[in-house]
Each structure stands twice: as C-alpha cells, then as structure tokens.
Amino acid sequence: MNQNISDGQTILSNNSKFELGFFSPGNSKNRYLGIWFTNTSSQTVAWVANRQTPLIDNFGAVILDNQGNLSLVNGSGKVIWSSNSSASGTSINLVAQLLDTGNLVIKNGEKPNNEIWQSFDYPGDTFMEGMKLGKNFITGRETYLTSWRSADDPSPGEYTLRFSMVKGKYQQLYITSSAIETRIGPYNGISFSGRPLRTPETADPAFTSYMVVNQNEMYFATYSVKNTTMLLSRTIVTAGDTQNAVFSSNMSQLDCEAACKNNCSCTAYANPNISTGKAAGCLLWFGDLIDVRVYPQNGQDLYIRLAASELSAGATLLGLILGLYIRRKWKKNSDTEIAGKPKETLDEDYEGINRPMGSAEVSLFSLSTISKATNDFSVDNKLGEGGFGPVYKGVLEEGQEIAVKRLSKSSRQGLDEFENEVICIAKLQHRNLVKLLGYCLQGDEKMLIYEYMPNKSLDCFLFDESRKLKLDWQQRFCIIHGIARGLLYLHQDSRLKVVHRDLKAGNILLDNLMCPKISDFGLARMFKEDESEANTKRIVGTLGYISPEYAVNGLYSVKSDIFSFGVLVLEIVSGKKNRGFVHEDHDDNLLGHAWRLLTEGKPLNLIDECLGGSYSASEVLRSVHVGLLCAQQRVEDRPNTPTVLAMLGGEGSLPSPKKPAFFIQESEINSSSVLPLLTSSVNGITLSQVDGRS
C-alpha cells in the first residue's frame, strides 16, 4: 500500500515492501530518516536521507512545503536535510509518496508520473530495481553507490561503485577508494565480464539487466521477477579495463579485426555485446591491457595483437638482424681487448640484452601511419635536421603529438645507431629521459618516433640572444638538477648502467613546462654490473663536450658523461658555448675562463648578462664550482653522479677543483699536433672522430 505525505505532516509511512521512518543504526544513538525492507529478520536499510547530518535527539519532523521541497528539521526547527526541489508552475496538490519499489518521490498530484524529485537519483549503498547507475549528460548528474563508513555510521565511506560513463568509452563498473580497487569488467549485454560468461541460457532468471546509451544519458538498470538488490557495503569483485579502449556499436567482427590491424597503436580487440546470441560491436584497446582474466570455460574471446603483426615487416626485420649479427661476428677480431677479453657493449654481443628489435618494449609503426601523421612529411611539419636526418612533428589518429626522426640516406649515422637507440631507450623510463614511443622499419625507411617536446632543445634557448631571455635563473637551475637526475638514473638507478657519450645542449629537450629530458641515445653504451670503463678505436661525440681520456685514448666510462655534464653546467650558467668561446683578454675557452674567474675570486662574473641581478648568488657559485669539479682533467678527480646531485643540493663543503681539461682553445690543440681531429658537421649537429697517434 502507498501512503501520501501532505504539506506540514510528520511522517512514518509504510507499504507492503518498504517502510519509511526514523531509525538508529547498530549501536549508535543518532537518528536518521531512512527507508528499509519490511518482513526481514533484521533491519536492512536501503536508503538514508540525512547520511552526514544525524539527529542527536528524539525530536525531528519531515515537512513538505507548498513549493515541493521536502525538509528534515530538528527539535529547534533547524533544517538539517532538504531535497532542494521545487515544482514549476502552479501546484496545489503536492504529495510525497513511498512507492513499492522503495523509491521516495515528490510529485504533483494533478500530473501523474511527473516526479519533481526522487530518492533513486541520490542512492546510498544499495542498488534496487528501477534505479539507474550512470550519468545524465544534460543535467550532468551522476548516480553511483557509496558504502557506509561503518555499521553504526551511514555517512559516505571510502568505497564507491560507479560506471565509466564517458562518451566514446565502453561502459564498465569500478570500485574505487583513493584509487581503483576493482574493475568489474565491461558490460557484454547480459552481465559484466569480470565473471565467467553468462549467456541468455545461463543467466540468472531472478533479474534482467540492461544498458541504455544515447546522446542524453548512459545508465545501467535492472528489472526482475523477484526483488533484486545490490549492497555495496555487503557485496563487492575479464576482457580487461576499458579506460584506454574505444567502442563502436556498428562494426562486425571482421571490421573490428581490420580496424585493429590497421592501427599500430591497437593492442587488442573484442566483440563485447553477446545479448543477441552472437557477438556484436567492436571494442578496441590502446595501451596496456589491465585486469585481463582467463577462465577455463565460459570465457569471452579477446583477440590480442602480437608484436610481429605484419609478416612482411617481420621478415625484413629478421633479415636485418641476421645481417647485423654476421657482420658483427666478422668484426669481432678487430675490437680492442682489455685484459685479454673483447669488450662487450651495446653495439656488440651482450647476453643481457634482447637483440631483436621486435622484442624491444616499443611499438612498431607502419609507414602509412607515420606518413599520415606528418602529412606526408610536409616541409611545414619539419622541426629541424641533425646528424641522423630530418625531424618532423606529427599527430596520430587518436590525437597524440609525436616527433619523428627520419634516417637520411646520406646520414653518417646508420643502422648501428638506429638499432642501438631502439634497444637502449626502450629499456629506460625516467621523467628526465625522452620517451621513445616506437619505430618504423619498412623498405628503405628507418624512423624513430618520440613523444613531442614543444620547446625543442636547450640550445635553441641558451644560445639565442632573444630566446635566452625566457630562461631565468630558477629555470636554469632546475634544468641543471633535472639533467643530473637523468644521469643518476642512467649511471646507477636503471636496470642497466648506461653511458650516454653525447651529452650536450642540443640533446637536452624541453617539455611544455621546460622540464629537461635527455635524448639521442644512438651513441649510448650499456655496461655489465662489474664493468666500469670500456675502450674503443672509434671515438664519436661532439667537440667541446668530449672528455680527454676518451679523445686521446678511446677510454669511456660514466665519468666521461660527468665531464660533458660539467661543460653543460658552465654553458647553462654563462649562456655561452664552450667551443668557440671568445674573450678579449685571453684565448681560453669557456672552461679556462670559468677557472680563471674562480681563481681570481670573481666566479659570479660568469653569469649570463641577460639575467641582470636576478639570480641566487649561492646557487650560481655552487653551480660554477660543481661544473669545474666535473670538468677536471683526471678521471679519478671528477665526482660520481650521486655526489654531483648531493653537491648541487647544497650538501657539504666543496673541494677545490683542479685545472680543467682542454684549458686552451681548440685551435691551439690543432696546431700542437697532439690530437688530429676529423670533424663533420650537418646543420649545426657535430660528430667528431678523434684518432690518437700510434
């Protein structure tokens, strides 16, 4: 039986299934207005009005005013809860009514089925027949379940059960606290795929669930033969998380398969809706697959795309790897030996590395995808050109911006550097390292695909008289710290010890927040845990940044990167290049000039003039001091990476640096005939090969 609530009445209503009134939960003495099931052995509460504002005594009343607003007042007449509803137009017969479904509604008696307000729009921890869980895109209201704080306290607890209700995304239930605790799979038309598959024949006859998706709203609901209820506080557990998935309702299985194969970013696909007895629709996953579960029977098919998705590319890649392997075996006898053992680095046979690029932890992009993203490598999309070749900006179909390095046929950097970078950087993940998204290897085309850095490289700011004004001292000091943290990861904290070998301003990229990211790992080398240095006859890098032991003897280690970092720090402080530095009073390079100023007690004179007086003197002094310590002649005198970071952070006193390496200008080095330099430069990117005399 339904009872009406008239204006001004206090209430204690009931019907055949539910009761509405005041109650105290568990051992609490507080009182709440709620709805509970009738004919149950213990009181089971389905809905609470004043969850967060209880009555603290036995005085309270519920009032429906002539505007259609339902209020709960305490003994002092203060409103502690309100429906915040009002009727539009003229209303002379407003009533509050508890329906047999357990839904408390306020409606105009003159207009049947025209509810002004209903409790089902504000659920607690219980999901009942006729209630919607989802979102109304017109009003913006989202309905979801929230657990009680405890059995004695119905105020909202830490757990919620809600749908992923985003246009273009497939519907999925989540249980969350501060983060996602459980994903109850995507909806398959009958049930949620977080459980073994339920077909129309095996579905529970007690209730039927359904999903509504249109331009106005998205929601999940049930109707039943029996009474159905979901209690979040009492009942809380696939094809996988659909957060990174895209849904299309009008694609067949063949169309779905083709769509995934034609998009290199596609990870997997499935036909999610089985309500018609056969699979319908298309769900495409992009990125990692999360919470995929395997059931021994009654599972739902999920088609996962493997790395070797295209046989032609796979065959080309296999041939390339085989050719490189044979060539390296042939080269092995010419490698320099240390202690009678050939040195093994990344460009040689290193057992700790998965050699095939197909095994690297990055994606293989098709040429058509990259061509489309860059508008057929339009000159308008060209960002610049380096030793590797031109770099283009692109936008993938899903909207992600990318930077594409395309190997030039005339480039001196070839397959070694290309393969080296793919394998090396794929294993490295750090906020101060550029992220490699994938590569393209098709026909004569060889490309590397990176995350796009809107502010390009550090040298574009540092050595440009107009743009350097955008680099204040605080930004420069943060960039120094960021580069040091990236080096610490490479040298110590990553799974493999890495020596970059080409650290310079042009290889420091800046994101939209001017955060530095070390890039270009084509010349990088990996070390085994027990290795500290290596020897090579092929010296590569950039003049002005190469350490003396590497330039003269072909020896490189993490201390080679430390030397390059020291040069870079002094360049960031001064806004001047080390190579080609000119001063009217002497012929020293930037290192020599900084050393001269330090010994004369005037290190602050190194600061970039464009900064004026807006800098921290202590930070500048420490930066100059650390830069000179890193650029010392002897390897053993230079600090290691953890010490560098600690010194930059202001920890402890600093030792006095010794005279830096390459104190005088490069022209004097050439004339002394100590180091014959073979140099090539492509559009400002310099690669150097230095051979010591035999």
Side-chain angles (χ1 to χ4, degrees):
M1 177 179 70
N2 294 329
Q3 293 186 357
N4 293 341
I5 307 166
S6 300
D7 178 24
Q9 291 182 320
T10 60
I11 59 168
L12 182 60
S13 302
N14 61 46
N15 58 37
S16 59
K17 297 181 180 179
F18 297 93
E19 291 181 346
L20 170 67
F22 294 100
F23 74 100
S24 295
N27 297 319
S28 173
K29 295 182 180 180
N30 292 331
R31 297 179 66 238
Y32 298 86
L33 174 67
I35 299 171
W36 56 87
F37 292 93
T38 59
N39 303 320
T40 56
S41 56
S42 60
Q43 188 180 54
T44 303
V45 178
W47 181 80
V48 182
N50 54 323
R51 295 183 71 177
Q52 301 185 73
T53 52
L55 290 165
I56 58 176
D57 51 35
N58 293 327
F59 301 97
V62 177
I63 301 172
L64 178 66
D65 63 26
N66 57 10
Q67 297 298 315
N69 186 53
L70 192 68
S71 301
L72 172 61
V73 298
N74 60 18
S76 302
K78 180 182 178 181
V79 176
I80 62 170
W81 174 85
S82 171
S83 64
N84 290 320
S85 56
S86 62
S88 59
T90 303
S91 302
I92 59 175
N93 191 21
L94 291 168
V95 295
Q97 188 175 35
L98 180 61
L99 305 180
D100 283 340
T101 59
N103 189 16
L104 176 63
V105 299
I106 302 172
K107 61 181 183 178
N108 189 337
E110 295 180 336
K111 301 176 181 179
N113 301 319
N114 185 23
E115 288 84 8
I116 299 169
W117 177 92
Q118 60 177 357
S119 61
F120 272 14
D121 286 340
Y122 305 91
D125 71 333
T126 307
F127 181 53
M128 298 187 290
E129 176 186 354
M131 186 180 288
K132 299 177 180 180
L133 290 185
K135 187 171 185 178
N136 187 308
F137 295 125
I138 297 176
T139 63
R141 178 186 294 124
E142 182 182 4
T143 51
Y144 53 90
L145 304 185
T146 308
S147 65
W148 284 22
R149 186 169 295 276
S150 69
D152 302 329
D153 183 1
S155 63
E158 62 176 316
Y159 293 97
T160 62
L161 184 147
R162 66 205 308 165
F163 275 93
S164 168
M165 287 290 175
V166 181
K167 288 185 178 180
K169 300 293 183 184
Y170 199 69
Q171 304 79 41
Q172 179 176 0
L173 268 178
Y174 292 96
I175 296 176
T176 64
S177 54
S178 57
I180 293 176
E181 298 281 344
T182 304
R183 300 172 179 86
I184 312 181
Y187 188 71
N188 62 24
I190 297 175
S191 65
F192 294 96
S193 60
R195 300 175 292 175
L197 183 63
R198 302 173 69 186
T199 65
E201 293 76 22
T202 61
D204 188 347
F207 71 92
T208 299
S209 62
Y210 61 97
M211 187 77 66
V212 172
V213 181
N214 55 46
Q215 292 297 314
N216 297 330
E217 59 184 346
M218 299 170 66
Y219 67 85
F220 171 79
T222 65
Y223 63 89
S224 66
V225 177
K226 302 177 183 178
N227 201 35
T228 60
T229 305
M230 178 186 292
L231 298 175
L232 179 59
S233 58
R234 298 165 177 81
T235 57
I236 306 296
V237 209
T238 68
D241 180 27
T242 62
Q243 196 79 334
N244 294 322
V246 174
F247 172 65
S248 175
S249 61
N250 56 3
M251 294 178 68
S252 67
Q253 180 169 341
L254 288 177
D255 292 336
C256 192
E257 178 181 358
C260 187
K261 284 185 175 180
N262 290 333
N263 191 321
C264 289
S265 299
C266 178
T267 308
Y269 73 93
N271 301 113
N273 196 321
I274 60 169
S275 60
T276 60
K278 61 179 181 179
C282 178
L283 197 56
L284 298 171
W285 275 267
F286 300 89
D288 295 336
L289 294 176
I290 302 174
D291 277 1
V292 177
R293 303 171 192 174
V294 178
Y295 295 103
Q297 57 183 357
N298 291 336
Q300 189 170 351
D301 291 337
L302 175 68
Y303 300 89
I304 300 175
R305 180 174 182 169
L306 301 178
S309 58
E310 314 208 33
L311 293 177
S312 59
T316 302
L317 185 59
L318 182 61
L320 170 66
I321 295 165
L322 182 60
L324 289 172
Y325 177 78
I326 294 172
R327 184 166 65 86
R328 287 187 180 135
K329 284 292 185 182
W330 179 82
K331 281 178 58 182
K332 245 188 166 184
N333 292 334
S334 64
D335 290 336
T336 302
E337 296 186 1
I338 295 179
K341 179 182 177 182
K343 205 64 194 171
E344 295 177 338
T345 54
L346 184 60
D347 61 347
E348 299 168 69
D349 295 314
Y350 182 17
E351 296 176 357
I353 300 173
N354 293 324
R355 297 300 301 161
M357 283 187 286
S359 301
E361 300 164 7
V362 290
S363 300
L364 173 64
F365 286 83
S366 69
L367 177 60
S368 60
T369 298
I370 301 304
S371 180
K372 183 177 181 181
T374 59
N375 194 20
D376 292 327
F377 304 101
S378 167
V379 67
D380 294 334
N381 286 35
K382 190 173 180 180
L383 297 174
E385 188 158 352
F388 186 97
V391 182
Y392 298 88
K393 179 182 179 181
V395 181
L396 298 176
E397 283 190 349
E398 57 270 27
Q400 183 177 10
E401 292 184 318
I402 58 174
V404 180
K405 285 173 64 174
R406 188 182 192 187
L407 180 63
S408 171
K409 294 180 174 60
S410 61
S411 172
R412 293 184 59 188
Q413 290 182 259
L415 293 178
D416 281 349
E417 288 80 4
F418 177 85
E419 183 188 22
N420 193 75
E421 183 143 9
V422 172
I423 296 174
C424 179
I425 199 171
K427 297 177 179 293
L428 305 174
Q429 296 291 332
H430 190 269
R431 64 174 301 186
N432 294 116
L433 303 184
V434 71
K435 184 176 181 181
L436 181 69
L437 303 177
Y439 64 98
C440 175
L441 186 65
Q442 192 166 333
D444 293 333
E445 292 287 356
K446 301 167 188 66
M447 290 176 280
L448 299 173
I449 295 88
Y450 296 91
E451 58 178 334
Y452 174 67
M453 295 288 106
N455 284 314
K456 300 184 180 180
S457 56
L458 176 60
D459 61 338
C460 293
F461 284 88
L462 200 57
F463 307 133
D464 183 279
E465 292 302 321
S466 59
R467 300 189 75 193
K468 67 165 51 182
L469 296 173
K470 298 180 181 179
L471 283 179
D472 60 25
W473 171 249
Q474 194 56 46
Q475 285 177 319
R476 297 187 192 209
F477 198 53
C478 288
I479 289 172
I480 291 172
H481 271 268
I483 299 170
R485 285 193 296 267
L487 278 182
L488 180 64
Y489 174 79
L490 292 176
H491 294 171
Q492 176 177 293
D493 295 341
S494 66
R495 292 176 289 176
L496 297 167
K497 187 189 301 182
V498 178
V499 179
H500 188 276
R501 295 208 305 176
D502 198 20
L503 192 68
K504 60 183 179 181
N507 284 339
I508 304 299
L509 302 185
L510 302 172
D511 66 11
N512 60 320
L513 298 176
M514 302 298 282
C515 175
K517 294 178 183 287
I518 301 173
S519 70
D520 201 338
F521 287 77
L523 304 180
R525 294 293 178 265
M526 290 185 179
F527 283 73
K528 294 180 180 179
E529 289 185 3
D530 58 344
E531 293 179 329
S532 60
E533 66 177 20
N535 187 296
T536 182
K537 287 183 177 179
R538 180 172 177 253
I539 294 91
V540 289
T542 303
L543 291 177
Y545 297 93
I546 299 177
S547 64
E549 70 278 4
Y550 184 37
V552 177
N553 298 314
L555 287 172
Y556 61 89
S557 66
V558 293
K559 292 294 186 73
S560 306
D561 283 350
I562 292 294
F563 179 88
S564 303
F565 175 74
V567 175
L568 191 50
V569 168
L570 297 176
E571 289 185 334
I572 293 172
V573 171
S574 66
K576 300 288 193 301
K577 294 182 180 180
N578 181 40
R579 185 167 180 244
F581 175 81
V582 177
H583 195 277
E584 59 184 8
D585 296 333
H586 55 72
D587 294 325
D588 299 341
N589 61 12
L590 181 63
L591 298 183
H593 179 60
W595 165 262
R596 185 185 295 270
L597 290 176
L598 184 67
T599 57
E600 293 175 355
K602 300 182 291 186
L604 290 179
N605 288 359
L606 190 68
I607 195 74
D608 195 335
E609 294 177 356
C610 76
L611 296 177
S614 57
Y615 57 84
S616 166
S618 62
E619 290 176 350
V620 172
L621 287 171
R622 187 165 287 269
S623 298
V624 173
H625 205 129
V626 170
L628 286 170
L629 286 171
C630 292
Q632 293 179 105
Q633 174 83 28
R634 291 161 48 90
V635 174
E636 54 269 30
D637 290 336
R638 298 174 210 150
N640 59 25
T641 321
T643 303
V644 168
L645 207 56
M647 290 191 300
L648 286 172
E651 298 181 18
S653 59
L654 302 180
S656 299
K658 299 177 182 178
K659 190 174 181 179
F662 301 139
F663 188 86
I664 55 178
Q665 283 291 5
E666 179 186 314
S667 59
E668 297 190 33
I669 297 177
N670 285 334
S671 62
S672 68
S673 299
V674 176
L675 295 175
L677 303 177
L678 304 178
T679 306
S680 67
S681 179
V682 183
N683 289 344
I685 304 298
T686 304
L687 296 175
S688 305
Q689 179 168 312
V690 185
D691 293 317
R693 289 178 178 248
S694 57

